[in-house]
Amino acid sequence: MNAVQSTNPVISSDRVEGTTVYNPAGDKLGSIDHLVIDKRSGQVRYAVLEFGGFLGMGTDRYPLPWSVLNYDTSREGYVVPLDKARLEGAPRYAEEERPTYDDDYGRDVYDYYGARW
Amino acid sequence: MNAVQSTNPVISSDRVEGTTVYNPAGDKLGSIDHLVIDKRSGQVRYAVLEFGGFLGMGTDRYPLPWSVLNYDTSREGYVVPLDKARLEGAPRYAEEERPTYDDDYGRDVYDYYGARW
């Protein structure tokens, strides 16, 4: 059953949403809040990591390229290449904001993670 | 505001999920339950229409190619090219089932809607 699941080529959006995200050191960073999809092509542009939200303060959101999400079956969560120093400089926005999500923004985000825009 | 939204090139997965789906005659067919995403490429393979569920009976689910969803701002929902006759023959599965979602299945679904696999 696990072998079948791990080789399943597709995943449901509602299984991605809410999945925990860890850094390579095993620290829990947050969870995937939602996906951002290109309307025309149906391509997932970003998986948005929600992070923070202490003592009633708002959360920060980090748009991640889909390709940086690596599912770790032992942790039942995604591991992303974001150590603490890298997290500080990562593109983010406050929960109540909304990025433009235009090509310039996309290139900046993808460049940060070394992903191809 | 509406003009800005309608030209926005991206959409959030949680805005797609739950959106009502109509046929071209204006009949409500159901709503989008979830998206099925290719793990490797991040491409949305299907938007799954949930339909039925009367008197406690289970619902049927219809995987639709992303490209057949046309958002109608006046109805605040998607219009899909499924008249009643076409709906009867459309690929579907019961709620408790799960398709294989392999390439053969994908080609069948896409062919049914005249979409390119």
Side-chain angles (χ1 to χ4, degrees):
Chain A
M1 187 68 184
N2 275 328
V4 171
Q5 286 183 327
S6 66
T7 58
N8 193 329
V10 298
I11 189 165
S12 169
S13 56
D14 50 12
R15 284 197 57 196
V16 179
E17 295 156 357
T19 297
T20 304
V21 176
Y22 300 90
N23 68 17
D27 302 318
K28 182 178 168 178
L29 296 179
S31 59
I32 300 298
D33 186 73
H34 64 277
L35 304 172
V36 176
I37 299 160
D38 183 84
K39 282 183 185 172
R40 182 174 293 268
S41 68
Q43 180 71 35
V44 175
R45 291 277 175 238
Y46 313 95
V48 179
L49 165 66
E50 188 167 73
F51 174 79
F54 302 104
L55 301 172
M57 293 170 60
T59 57
D60 275 338
R61 292 180 169 185
Y62 294 73
L64 306 173
W66 176 261
S67 59
V68 307
L69 296 181
N70 282 302
Y71 192 76
D72 182 331
T73 51
S74 65
R75 288 179 179 142
E76 298 189 334
Y78 294 110
V79 176
V80 299
L82 270 174
D83 61 27
K84 281 175 183 165
R86 210 156 180 222
L87 193 67
E88 283 179 19
R92 78 186 79 174
Y93 61 93
E95 186 181 357
E96 64 277 12
E97 295 172 9
R98 186 66 49 175
T100 57
Y101 284 134
D102 57 13
D103 279 0
D104 285 345
Y105 184 84
R107 268 187 287 268
D108 283 348
V109 172
Y110 274 56
D111 278 356
Y112 192 81
Y113 294 99
R116 193 179 201 159
W117 175 242
Chain B
M1 186 68 184
N2 277 328
V4 171
Q5 286 182 325
S6 65
T7 58
N8 194 329
V10 296
I11 189 165
S12 170
S13 56
D14 51 10
R15 285 198 56 196
V16 179
E17 294 156 357
T19 297
T20 303
V21 176
Y22 300 90
N23 68 16
D27 302 318
K28 181 178 167 177
L29 297 179
S31 60
I32 299 297
D33 185 73
H34 64 276
L35 304 172
V36 176
I37 300 161
D38 183 84
K39 282 183 186 173
R40 182 175 294 268
S41 68
Q43 180 71 36
V44 175
R45 292 277 176 236
Y46 314 95
V48 179
L49 165 65
E50 187 168 74
F51 173 78
F54 300 103
L55 302 172
M57 294 170 60
T59 57
D60 274 339
R61 292 180 170 186
Y62 294 75
L64 307 172
W66 176 261
S67 59
V68 307
L69 297 180
N70 281 302
Y71 192 77
D72 182 331
T73 52
S74 65
R75 288 179 179 142
E76 298 188 334
Y78 293 110
V79 177
V80 300
L82 271 174
D83 61 28
K84 280 174 185 166
R86 210 156 181 221
L87 193 65
E88 283 177 20
R92 80 187 78 175
Y93 61 93
E95 186 182 357
E96 63 278 11
E97 295 171 9
R98 186 66 50 175
T100 56
Y101 284 134
D102 57 13
D103 278 1
D104 285 345
Y105 184 85
R107 268 187 287 268
D108 283 349
V109 172
Y110 274 56
D111 278 356
Y112 191 82
Y113 294 97
R116 192 179 203 160
W117 174 244

XYZ file of all heavy atoms in Angstrom, chain B residues 7-104:
772
model
N -8.352 39.851 -14.709
C -7.120 39.746 -15.470
C -5.992 39.135 -14.645
O -4.889 39.000 -15.146
C -6.672 41.132 -15.975
O -6.502 41.999 -14.844
C -7.683 41.732 -16.914
N -6.275 38.820 -13.382
C -5.265 38.174 -12.554
C -4.882 36.830 -13.185
O -5.745 36.003 -13.429
C -5.821 37.964 -11.147
C -4.732 37.606 -10.148
O -3.741 36.982 -10.485
N -4.918 38.026 -8.915
N -3.583 36.620 -13.445
C -3.218 35.389 -14.158
C -3.222 34.138 -13.287
O -3.063 33.045 -13.807
C -1.793 35.701 -14.644
C -1.263 36.684 -13.659
C -2.432 37.507 -13.207
N -3.363 34.306 -11.979
C -3.307 33.137 -11.094
C -4.554 33.059 -10.233
O -5.291 34.035 -10.070
C -2.059 33.173 -10.163
C -0.779 33.103 -10.976
C -2.087 34.382 -9.247
N -4.774 31.868 -9.679
C -5.887 31.667 -8.757
C -5.442 30.706 -7.662
O -4.623 29.819 -7.896
C -7.139 31.150 -9.497
C -8.351 31.164 -8.547
C -6.906 29.753 -10.095
C -9.684 31.027 -9.257
N -5.990 30.905 -6.485
C -5.639 30.058 -5.352
C -6.448 28.764 -5.394
O -7.631 28.769 -5.735
C -5.933 30.816 -4.062
O -5.828 29.958 -2.955
N -5.802 27.651 -5.041
C -6.497 26.359 -5.040
C -7.733 26.381 -4.150
O -8.753 25.771 -4.472
C -5.544 25.253 -4.579
O -4.987 25.561 -3.301
N -7.667 27.113 -3.034
C -8.817 27.095 -2.127
C -9.964 27.972 -2.630
O -11.054 27.939 -2.058
C -8.415 27.444 -0.682
C -7.602 28.720 -0.581
O -7.501 29.457 -1.583
O -7.059 28.995 0.501
N -9.707 28.746 -3.671
C -10.824 29.450 -4.312
C -11.482 28.589 -5.391
O -12.651 28.769 -5.708
C -10.356 30.775 -4.932
C -10.117 31.848 -3.873
C -10.093 33.215 -4.487
N -11.304 33.539 -5.250
C -11.402 34.528 -6.117
N -10.345 35.283 -6.364
N -12.524 34.764 -6.747
N -10.726 27.680 -5.962
C -11.304 26.767 -6.959
C -12.175 25.722 -6.264
O -13.303 25.437 -6.694
C -10.186 26.074 -7.772
C -10.786 25.109 -8.782
C -9.307 27.105 -8.466
N -11.655 25.155 -5.198
C -12.378 24.116 -4.457
C -13.677 24.702 -3.903
O -13.681 25.743 -3.241
C -11.508 23.582 -3.310
C -10.274 22.839 -3.790
C -9.143 22.801 -2.775
O -9.296 23.413 -1.692
O -8.105 22.214 -3.077
N -14.765 24.042 -4.156
C -16.058 24.517 -3.667
C -16.809 25.409 -4.636
O -17.966 25.740 -4.395
N -16.150 25.806 -5.734
C -16.818 26.674 -6.700
C -17.890 25.882 -7.473
O -17.656 24.752 -7.893
C -15.784 27.270 -7.680
O -14.883 28.085 -6.941
C -16.467 28.136 -8.739
N -19.051 26.514 -7.630
C -20.166 25.879 -8.321
C -19.863 25.700 -9.806
O -19.192 26.533 -10.414
C -21.436 26.733 -8.147
O -21.675 26.901 -6.751
C -22.651 26.054 -8.766
N -20.377 24.601 -10.358
C -20.191 24.295 -11.782
C -21.563 24.212 -12.453
O -22.469 23.547 -11.932
C -19.427 22.971 -11.967
C -19.316 22.607 -13.446
C -18.039 23.064 -11.335
N -21.707 24.892 -13.588
C -22.952 24.912 -14.357
C -22.728 24.294 -15.729
O -21.611 24.302 -16.247
C -23.432 26.353 -14.546
C -23.702 27.090 -13.266
C -22.699 27.825 -12.645
C -24.966 27.073 -12.674
C -22.936 28.510 -11.458
C -25.211 27.750 -11.483
C -24.194 28.465 -10.894
O -24.434 29.137 -9.716
N -23.801 23.795 -16.328
C -23.707 23.435 -17.740
C -24.096 24.664 -18.580
O -24.527 25.679 -18.025
C -24.554 22.193 -18.052
C -26.045 22.437 -17.928
O -26.486 23.580 -17.893
N -26.815 21.364 -17.851
N -23.912 24.589 -19.899
C -24.176 25.786 -20.721
C -25.630 26.268 -20.641
O -25.912 27.440 -20.888
C -23.828 25.311 -22.141
C -22.837 24.221 -21.943
C -23.286 23.509 -20.697
N -26.564 25.368 -20.277
C -27.970 25.778 -20.141
C -28.231 26.515 -18.833
O -29.336 27.017 -18.615
C -28.882 24.549 -20.235
N -27.225 26.563 -17.968
C -27.401 27.265 -16.696
C -27.823 26.370 -15.543
O -28.063 26.858 -14.439
N -27.912 25.059 -15.789
C -28.234 24.128 -14.701
C -27.009 23.932 -13.806
O -25.896 23.767 -14.302
C -28.648 22.762 -15.259
C -29.847 22.848 -16.193
O -30.784 23.595 -15.860
O -29.826 22.188 -17.262
N -27.261 23.909 -12.514
C -26.167 23.662 -11.580
C -25.847 22.171 -11.568
O -26.730 21.340 -11.348
C -26.582 24.126 -10.184
C -25.520 23.942 -9.135
C -25.979 24.475 -7.783
C -25.039 24.005 -6.688
N -25.415 24.571 -5.377
N -24.589 21.829 -11.838
C -24.183 20.421 -11.871
C -23.616 19.953 -10.539
O -23.722 18.781 -10.189
C -23.121 20.199 -12.951
C -23.539 20.463 -14.394
C -22.359 20.206 -15.325
C -24.729 19.593 -14.782
N -22.992 20.849 -9.828
C -22.338 20.470 -8.584
C -21.252 21.479 -8.277
O -21.401 22.662 -8.592
N -20.167 21.008 -7.704
C -19.072 21.921 -7.394
C -17.738 21.179 -7.500
O -17.690 19.951 -7.496
C -19.238 22.512 -5.998
O -19.243 21.482 -5.036
N -16.680 21.951 -7.616
C -15.337 21.364 -7.673
C -14.944 20.908 -6.271
O -14.946 21.705 -5.333
C -14.301 22.380 -8.201
C -14.667 22.834 -9.621
C -12.893 21.778 -8.164
C -14.657 21.731 -10.657
N -14.625 19.623 -6.147
C -14.241 19.097 -4.838
C -12.754 19.281 -4.584
O -12.353 19.732 -3.511
C -14.608 17.618 -4.742
C -14.326 17.074 -3.361
O -15.089 17.419 -2.445
O -13.342 16.320 -3.185
N -11.936 18.909 -5.536
C -10.491 19.045 -5.379
C -9.828 19.003 -6.750
O -10.464 18.700 -7.752
C -9.917 17.944 -4.475
C -10.071 16.560 -5.034
N -11.217 15.821 -4.885
C -9.228 15.781 -5.761
C -11.065 14.653 -5.485
N -9.875 14.603 -6.032
N -8.559 19.329 -6.752
C -7.754 19.252 -7.964
C -6.817 18.055 -7.865
O -6.392 17.684 -6.768
C -6.918 20.531 -8.133
C -7.720 21.838 -8.144
C -6.773 23.031 -8.131
C -8.649 21.897 -9.343
N -6.515 17.455 -9.008
C -5.551 16.349 -9.057
C -4.315 16.857 -9.790
O -4.404 17.314 -10.935
C -6.145 15.119 -9.768
C -5.105 14.016 -9.892
C -7.364 14.614 -9.006
N -3.184 16.803 -9.111
C -1.960 17.440 -9.590
C -0.899 16.392 -9.885
O -0.687 15.471 -9.084
C -1.434 18.421 -8.514
C -2.486 19.496 -8.244
C -0.104 19.037 -8.924
C -2.285 20.211 -6.930
N -0.236 16.535 -11.023
C 0.899 15.680 -11.340
C 2.050 16.044 -10.406
O 2.507 17.192 -10.380
C 1.308 15.891 -12.801
C 2.437 14.977 -13.212
O 2.163 13.831 -13.568
O 3.602 15.425 -13.155
N 2.505 15.050 -9.636
C 3.519 15.334 -8.610
C 4.800 15.889 -9.202
O 5.405 16.811 -8.658
C 3.874 14.050 -7.854
C 2.869 13.634 -6.812
C 3.389 12.383 -6.107
C 2.358 11.830 -5.141
N 2.807 10.523 -4.586
N 5.232 15.310 -10.303
C 6.537 15.685 -10.845
C 6.523 17.083 -11.445
O 7.386 17.910 -11.147
C 6.981 14.672 -11.906
C 8.346 14.936 -12.499
C 8.776 13.826 -13.439
N 8.992 12.579 -12.744
C 10.175 12.191 -12.250
N 11.228 12.972 -12.389
N 10.305 11.051 -11.625
N 5.527 17.350 -12.271
C 5.528 18.613 -13.016
C 4.773 19.737 -12.319
O 4.948 20.906 -12.644
C 4.901 18.391 -14.397
O 3.520 18.102 -14.262
N 3.891 19.397 -11.374
C 3.058 20.421 -10.759
C 1.915 20.870 -11.655
O 1.309 21.913 -11.426
N 1.635 20.089 -12.675
C 0.539 20.435 -13.595
C -0.784 19.899 -13.047
O -0.857 18.755 -12.607
C 0.822 19.811 -14.964
C -0.232 20.076 -16.031
C -0.236 21.513 -16.509
O 0.822 22.134 -16.602
N -1.407 22.046 -16.781
N -1.840 20.750 -13.076
C -3.165 20.268 -12.697
C -3.691 19.363 -13.805
O -3.857 19.803 -14.947
C -4.155 21.432 -12.470
C -5.561 20.890 -12.193
C -3.704 22.310 -11.309
N -3.903 18.085 -13.476
C -4.401 17.131 -14.469
C -5.925 17.181 -14.562
O -6.487 17.100 -15.647
C -3.970 15.711 -14.104
C -2.486 15.477 -14.229
C -2.111 15.151 -15.664
N -0.674 15.014 -15.800
C 0.058 15.722 -16.664
N -0.493 16.599 -17.462
N 1.358 15.535 -16.726
N -6.579 17.307 -13.423
C -8.047 17.304 -13.389
C -8.554 18.238 -12.302
O -7.933 18.400 -11.250
C -8.601 15.899 -13.072
C -7.964 14.787 -13.840
C -6.905 14.068 -13.304
C -8.416 14.453 -15.115
C -6.302 13.044 -14.012
C -7.816 13.432 -15.833
C -6.761 12.729 -15.271
O -6.167 11.724 -15.974
N -9.716 18.813 -12.578
C -10.525 19.431 -11.535
C -11.712 18.488 -11.358
O -12.412 18.162 -12.321
C -10.996 20.814 -11.969
N -11.913 17.996 -10.153
C -12.897 16.948 -9.932
C -14.240 17.553 -9.512
O -14.348 18.162 -8.440
C -12.405 15.921 -8.894
C -13.467 14.851 -8.660
C -11.097 15.287 -9.362
N -15.219 17.376 -10.390
C -16.579 17.852 -10.151
C -17.320 16.841 -9.291
O -17.372 15.656 -9.618
C -17.285 18.009 -11.498
C -18.806 18.160 -11.503
C -19.233 19.457 -10.828
C -19.341 18.111 -12.941
N -17.880 17.308 -8.204
C -18.709 16.449 -7.356
C -20.159 16.724 -7.694
O -20.598 17.868 -7.765
C -18.447 16.738 -5.880
C -19.147 15.771 -4.958
C -18.639 15.901 -3.538
O -18.986 16.888 -2.865
O -17.878 15.036 -3.109
N -20.905 15.652 -7.895
C -22.247 15.767 -8.434
C -23.142 14.760 -7.733
O -22.754 13.624 -7.497
C -22.198 15.457 -9.932
C -23.526 15.374 -10.600
C -24.219 16.522 -10.942
C -24.102 14.140 -10.882
C -25.452 16.449 -11.565
C -25.332 14.062 -11.503
C -26.013 15.213 -11.844
N -24.325 15.150 -7.404
C -25.294 14.202 -6.852
C -25.301 14.234 -5.340
O -25.082 15.274 -4.716
N -25.526 13.081 -4.737
C -25.591 12.999 -3.285
C -26.970 13.338 -2.750
O -27.126 14.189 -1.888
N -27.974 12.654 -3.267
C -29.333 12.928 -2.811
C -29.706 11.968 -1.678
O -29.360 10.785 -1.709
C -30.325 12.727 -3.963
C -30.040 13.632 -5.119
C -29.423 13.136 -6.261
C -30.351 14.988 -5.067
C -29.141 13.957 -7.330
C -30.064 15.812 -6.142
C -29.461 15.291 -7.279
N -30.420 12.425 -0.699
C -30.997 11.584 0.360
C -29.957 10.662 0.977
O -30.207 9.476 1.232
C -32.158 10.739 -0.206
C -33.311 11.545 -0.836
C -34.281 10.617 -1.528
C -34.013 12.380 0.243
N -28.804 11.198 1.217
C -27.770 10.417 1.895
C -27.017 9.461 0.998
O -26.125 8.749 1.459
N -27.377 9.385 -0.267
C -26.622 8.530 -1.188
C -25.297 9.202 -1.525
O -25.157 10.416 -1.446
C -27.425 8.296 -2.465
C -28.694 7.489 -2.243
S -29.725 7.487 -3.718
C -28.612 6.738 -4.907
N -24.346 8.396 -1.930
C -23.028 8.927 -2.256
C -23.055 9.781 -3.503
O -24.024 9.777 -4.273
N -21.997 10.517 -3.690
C -21.907 11.387 -4.846
C -21.048 10.742 -5.925
O -20.226 9.880 -5.645
C -21.258 12.728 -4.462
O -19.973 12.464 -3.901
C -22.108 13.463 -3.458
N -21.279 11.176 -7.144
C -20.395 10.796 -8.239
C -19.389 11.915 -8.465
O -19.685 13.087 -8.247
C -21.199 10.576 -9.527
C -21.742 9.162 -9.616
O -21.196 8.270 -8.937
O -22.717 8.954 -10.353
N -18.223 11.515 -8.945
C -17.179 12.494 -9.208
C -16.734 12.384 -10.656
O -16.491 11.284 -11.157
C -16.006 12.277 -8.246
C -16.431 12.628 -6.840
C -15.351 12.455 -5.837
N -15.759 13.036 -4.567
C -14.987 13.152 -3.510
N -13.737 12.747 -3.556
N -15.443 13.690 -2.403
N -16.624 13.530 -11.280
C -16.263 13.627 -12.690
C -14.951 14.389 -12.813
O -14.912 15.595 -12.575
C -17.338 14.407 -13.450
C -18.676 13.716 -13.505
C -19.502 13.672 -12.389
C -19.124 13.124 -14.670
C -20.736 13.038 -12.434
C -20.358 12.487 -14.735
C -21.150 12.450 -13.606
O -22.362 11.816 -13.649
N -13.880 13.711 -13.195
C -12.621 14.429 -13.434
C -12.706 15.207 -14.739
O -13.029 14.637 -15.780
C -11.573 13.311 -13.533
C -12.289 12.033 -13.232
C -13.747 12.266 -13.442
N -12.439 16.486 -14.672
C -12.505 17.354 -15.848
C -11.115 17.892 -16.170
O -10.377 18.258 -15.255
C -13.419 18.559 -15.567
C -14.828 18.279 -15.056
C -15.502 19.593 -14.662
C -15.635 17.562 -16.115
N -10.766 17.969 -17.448
C -9.531 18.673 -17.790
C -9.633 20.135 -17.341
O -10.701 20.750 -17.460
C -9.480 18.591 -19.327
C -10.386 17.458 -19.689
C -11.459 17.446 -18.638
N -8.565 20.657 -16.822
C -8.533 22.054 -16.353
C -9.038 23.005 -17.432
O -9.754 23.965 -17.155
C -7.105 22.408 -15.938
C -6.883 23.822 -15.522
C -6.361 24.834 -16.298
C -7.182 24.399 -14.250
N -6.315 25.996 -15.569
C -6.820 25.757 -14.309
C -7.723 23.905 -13.055
C -6.970 26.629 -13.231
C -7.882 24.759 -11.985
C -7.508 26.103 -12.075
N -8.681 22.713 -18.678
C -8.959 23.649 -19.765
C -10.452 23.774 -20.086
O -10.841 24.712 -20.782
C -8.204 23.225 -21.034
O -8.591 21.917 -21.423
N -11.295 22.866 -19.620
C -12.726 22.995 -19.932
C -13.457 23.869 -18.916
O -14.638 24.168 -19.109
C -13.451 21.627 -20.055
C -12.728 20.724 -21.027
C -13.671 20.949 -18.725
N -12.784 24.275 -17.864
C -13.414 25.157 -16.869
C -13.363 26.590 -17.360
O -12.284 27.155 -17.525
C -12.675 25.085 -15.531
C -12.634 23.771 -14.768
C -11.852 23.968 -13.473
C -14.037 23.274 -14.462
N -14.514 27.162 -17.609
C -14.564 28.571 -17.981
C -15.308 29.339 -16.904
O -16.482 29.068 -16.660
C -15.269 28.745 -19.325
C -14.336 28.408 -20.467
O -13.275 29.001 -20.602
N -14.734 27.428 -21.268
N -14.620 30.292 -16.302
C -15.251 31.023 -15.203
C -16.201 32.075 -15.738
O -15.846 32.880 -16.599
C -14.191 31.684 -14.314
C -14.780 32.185 -13.020
C -15.073 31.290 -11.987
C -15.079 33.525 -12.832
C -15.634 31.713 -10.806
C -15.639 33.969 -11.642
C -15.914 33.058 -10.637
O -16.479 33.493 -9.469
N -17.416 32.048 -15.238
C -18.448 33.005 -15.629
C -18.653 33.961 -14.456
O -19.196 33.572 -13.415
C -19.740 32.238 -15.936
C -20.861 33.157 -16.400
O -20.879 34.339 -15.993
O -21.733 32.678 -17.152
N -18.198 35.204 -14.638
C -18.239 36.146 -13.517
C -19.666 36.467 -13.096
O -19.919 36.726 -11.927
C -17.507 37.460 -13.876
O -18.030 37.936 -15.119
C -16.016 37.242 -14.012
N -20.628 36.425 -14.048
C -22.001 36.767 -13.671
C -22.614 35.680 -12.789
O -23.402 35.956 -11.894
C -22.863 36.983 -14.920
O -22.998 35.782 -15.645
N -22.226 34.430 -13.027
C -22.740 33.327 -12.197
C -21.826 33.015 -11.014
O -22.177 32.216 -10.159
C -22.878 32.054 -13.038
C -24.026 32.092 -14.027
C -24.051 30.793 -14.826
N -25.153 30.786 -15.775
C -25.080 30.265 -16.997
N -23.962 29.711 -17.410
N -26.116 30.279 -17.806
N -20.634 33.597 -11.038
C -19.629 33.279 -10.019
C -19.400 31.775 -9.931
O -19.370 31.190 -8.836
C -20.014 33.865 -8.658
C -20.096 35.386 -8.698
C -20.279 36.012 -7.323
O -20.817 35.321 -6.433
O -19.880 37.169 -7.156
N -19.294 31.169 -11.088
C -19.048 29.729 -11.134
C -18.463 29.348 -12.473
O -18.347 30.178 -13.378
N -18.085 28.074 -12.582
C -17.542 27.571 -13.836
C -18.664 27.050 -14.716
O -19.623 26.454 -14.243
C -16.548 26.444 -13.577
C -15.296 26.895 -12.886
C -15.038 26.537 -11.571
C -14.367 27.689 -13.539
C -13.875 26.951 -10.923
C -13.208 28.117 -12.905
C -12.969 27.740 -11.597
O -11.829 28.168 -10.969
N -18.524 27.276 -16.010
C -19.420 26.675 -16.994
C -18.614 25.638 -17.762
O -17.522 25.933 -18.251
C -19.990 27.734 -17.954
C -20.859 27.067 -19.011
C -20.778 28.772 -17.173
N -19.144 24.410 -17.826
C -18.440 23.341 -18.535
C -19.332 22.787 -19.637
O -20.565 22.818 -19.525
C -18.001 22.203 -17.580
C -17.059 22.725 -16.510
C -19.207 21.522 -16.959
N -18.726 22.294 -20.725
C -19.501 21.847 -21.884
C -20.105 20.457 -21.663
O -19.746 19.500 -22.325
C -18.459 21.824 -23.012
C -17.168 21.534 -22.308
C -17.284 22.198 -20.970
N -21.017 20.349 -20.711
C -21.638 19.071 -20.358
C -23.151 19.232 -20.345
O -23.731 19.557 -19.301
C -21.192 18.648 -18.958
C -19.927 17.812 -18.803
C -19.597 17.626 -17.338
C -20.078 16.466 -19.484
N -23.782 19.015 -21.491
C -25.247 18.994 -21.438
C -25.685 17.658 -20.857
O -24.861 16.786 -20.567
C -25.851 19.251 -22.820
C -25.448 18.217 -23.839
O -25.183 17.068 -23.450
O -25.392 18.560 -25.037
N -26.991 17.497 -20.671
C -27.439 16.317 -19.928
C -27.063 14.998 -20.602
O -26.660 14.047 -19.951
C -28.957 16.388 -19.705
C -29.279 17.302 -18.532
C -30.768 17.536 -18.328
C -30.984 18.553 -17.211
N -32.347 19.085 -17.165
N -27.177 14.954 -21.941
C -26.828 13.719 -22.653
C -25.343 13.413 -22.491
O -24.939 12.263 -22.293
C -27.173 13.862 -24.131
N -24.540 14.446 -22.537
C -23.099 14.240 -22.455
C -22.673 13.844 -21.041
O -21.715 13.101 -20.847
C -22.400 15.537 -22.871
C -21.074 15.262 -23.501
C -20.610 16.358 -24.417
N -19.346 16.010 -25.003
C -18.344 16.866 -25.172
N -18.484 18.122 -24.826
N -17.221 16.477 -25.706
N -23.396 14.354 -20.076
C -23.087 14.022 -18.690
C -23.264 12.532 -18.431
O -22.499 11.921 -17.679
C -24.008 14.823 -17.765
C -23.679 14.866 -16.274
C -22.369 15.585 -16.032
C -24.805 15.562 -15.505
N -24.268 11.941 -19.080
C -24.549 10.522 -18.833
C -23.379 9.621 -19.206
O -23.143 8.600 -18.566
C -25.798 10.079 -19.614
C -27.079 10.540 -18.966
C -28.308 10.166 -19.781
O -28.206 9.251 -20.616
O -29.353 10.802 -19.590
N -22.673 9.970 -20.275
C -21.570 9.127 -20.712
C -20.218 9.558 -20.184
O -19.209 8.944 -20.521
N -20.183 10.597 -19.399
C -18.895 11.163 -18.986
C -18.162 10.250 -18.000
O -18.793 9.562 -17.195
C -19.114 12.538 -18.363
N -16.827 10.228 -18.076
C -16.055 9.429 -17.121
C -16.346 9.887 -15.693
O -16.337 11.078 -15.405
C -14.595 9.743 -17.503
C -14.650 10.228 -18.908
C -15.964 10.925 -19.037
N -16.616 8.912 -14.847
C -16.950 9.241 -13.460
C -16.539 8.107 -12.546
O -16.253 7.001 -12.988
C -18.457 9.447 -13.324
C -19.231 8.147 -13.239
C -20.712 8.342 -13.265
N -21.158 8.604 -14.626
C -22.439 8.736 -14.999
N -23.397 8.669 -14.092
N -22.771 8.940 -16.248
N -16.511 8.382 -11.268
C -16.269 7.322 -10.282
C -17.054 7.657 -9.021
O -17.412 8.818 -8.795
C -14.774 7.141 -9.996
C -14.070 8.354 -9.419
C -13.948 8.513 -8.040
C -13.519 9.331 -10.239
C -13.283 9.615 -7.500
C -12.868 10.431 -9.708
C -12.752 10.569 -8.338
O -12.116 11.652 -7.819
N -17.348 6.623 -8.243
C -18.069 6.838 -6.990
C -17.129 7.455 -5.961
O -15.914 7.272 -6.019
C -18.621 5.517 -6.467
N -17.721 8.181 -5.019
C -16.927 8.950 -4.067
C -15.879 8.091 -3.354
O -14.772 8.554 -3.086
C -17.870 9.588 -3.038
C -17.172 10.525 -2.078
C -18.135 11.089 -1.042
O -19.337 10.782 -1.118
O -17.676 11.815 -0.160
N -16.264 6.837 -3.030
C -15.345 5.993 -2.244
C -14.293 5.312 -3.109
O -13.405 4.635 -2.592
C -16.139 4.952 -1.440
C -16.915 3.954 -2.280
C -18.262 4.489 -2.758
O -18.508 5.706 -2.620
O -19.066 3.699 -3.290
N -14.407 5.475 -4.440
C -13.405 4.896 -5.333
C -12.278 5.894 -5.594
O -12.372 7.058 -5.231
C -14.044 4.509 -6.669
C -15.075 3.400 -6.570
C -15.839 3.215 -7.878
O -15.447 3.824 -8.885
O -16.846 2.486 -7.871
N -11.266 5.391 -6.270
C -10.160 6.266 -6.642
C -9.609 5.760 -7.970
O -9.166 4.626 -8.049
C -9.087 6.208 -5.542
C -7.930 7.163 -5.711
C -8.293 8.608 -5.601
N -9.089 8.935 -4.423
C -9.452 10.148 -4.058
N -9.055 11.184 -4.781
N -10.197 10.364 -3.007
N -9.673 6.555 -9.013
C -9.158 6.083 -10.309
C -7.654 5.843 -10.248
O -6.972 6.349 -9.355
C -9.461 7.244 -11.260
C -10.439 8.101 -10.558
C -10.179 7.918 -9.100
N -7.162 5.083 -11.217
C -5.721 4.855 -11.274
C -4.977 6.134 -11.659
O -3.838 6.333 -11.278
C -5.381 3.777 -12.322
O -5.923 4.200 -13.583
C -5.989 2.439 -11.940
N -5.646 6.975 -12.429
C -5.038 8.215 -12.911
C -3.742 7.955 -13.670
O -2.776 8.716 -13.543
C -4.796 9.213 -11.760
C -6.061 9.913 -11.301
C -6.352 10.036 -9.942
C -6.949 10.455 -12.207
C -7.511 10.685 -9.515
C -8.099 11.102 -11.787
C -8.373 11.205 -10.447
O -9.501 11.845 -10.035
N -3.689 6.867 -14.417
C -2.520 6.653 -15.263
C -2.771 7.309 -16.632
O -3.804 7.963 -16.853
C -2.209 5.159 -15.403
C -3.391 4.367 -15.953
O -4.350 4.985 -16.458
O -3.357 3.132 -15.853
N -1.824 7.139 -17.549
C -1.914 7.825 -18.836
C -3.117 7.377 -19.660
O -3.757 8.199 -20.327
C -0.628 7.612 -19.645
C 0.471 8.571 -19.209
O 0.225 9.370 -18.285
O 1.563 8.515 -19.780
N -3.432 6.056 -19.613
C -4.587 5.573 -20.368
C -5.868 6.242 -19.886
O -6.710 6.671 -20.682
C -4.720 4.046 -20.230
C -3.674 3.312 -21.070
O -3.069 3.965 -21.947
O -3.479 2.116 -20.837
